[in-house]
Amino acid sequence: MKVILLKDEKKLGKKGDIVEISEGYARNYVLPKKIGAEATARNLNDLKLQKAHEAKVAQEQLDAARALAERLESKQVVVKIRAGEGGRTFGSVSSKEIAAACKEQHGLDVDKKKIQLQENLKSFGTVEVMVKLHAQVSAKLMVKVEEA
């Protein structure tokens, strides 16, 4: 019996896969626990439409990430921190502060979790920071750290 999996199942496969299983296993385990649905023409068509929709949404997210990456590449964000004697900084600049400065200065929403800092910025100057917007898209953002 052919079954479309509705959930990931360790022994059978991933959600959306069409698998061939015995009729007893399907009737007694897979169908009652709503792990899968019988592979009828209607269910196969629904699956096809669902996969097409998911592909369209994924492409839209990729396009949006690429557009945001282009806008980020051309921008420079200025972040100010306090300094003490001899030009030493008090504290550091974190990804949260960089994301807030991006929003404030350029109106760009960047998630702080997507800003990749090896460590917080503790010195003055201009630094190139990587922003991973999508699995396939990353951008370089120039961050200028100045004395407040």
Side-chain angles (χ1 to χ4, degrees), residues 7-138:
K7 299 179 184 174
D8 289 351
E9 183 67 22
K10 200 172 196 177
K11 296 177 184 176
L12 295 176
K14 298 212 177 270
K15 178 181 176 181
D17 289 350
I18 300 171
V19 294
E20 182 78 35
I21 56 176
S22 70
E23 198 167 317
Y25 184 57
R27 201 172 344 114
N28 294 321
Y29 181 74
V30 174
L31 298 177
K33 293 200 180 250
K34 306 255 189 259
I35 296 171
E38 192 173 345
T40 62
R42 180 178 179 191
N43 288 344
L44 289 171
N45 189 37
D46 289 346
L47 177 67
K48 180 178 152 188
L49 293 173
Q50 183 181 8
K51 284 189 177 185
H53 176 69
E54 288 172 0
K56 181 182 175 191
V57 168
Q59 185 62 42
E60 287 174 356
Q61 289 175 343
L62 180 63
D63 292 342
R66 284 186 179 145
L68 182 58
E70 281 183 26
R71 291 172 52 198
L72 280 176
E73 297 264 346
S74 64
K75 306 287 186 199
Q76 180 177 8
V77 176
V78 179
V79 181
K80 298 185 181 214
I81 57 174
R82 290 185 7 207
E85 294 178 21
R88 292 186 45 159
T89 62
F90 286 124
S92 61
V93 177
S94 66
S95 59
K96 180 179 179 181
E97 292 166 329
I98 294 171
C102 249
K103 174 85 171 158
E104 179 184 314
Q105 294 172 17
H106 303 292
L108 298 175
D109 276 328
V110 179
D111 188 7
K112 68 179 183 179
K113 296 172 188 163
K114 295 184 180 198
I115 297 174
Q116 297 179 331
L117 290 173
Q118 267 56 26
E119 55 188 46
N120 291 343
L121 306 177
K122 297 181 182 181
S123 60
F124 299 115
T126 304
V127 180
E128 195 173 81
V129 175
M130 289 300 296
V131 181
K132 189 157 178 86
L133 299 168
H134 189 271
Q136 301 170 2
V137 180
S138 57

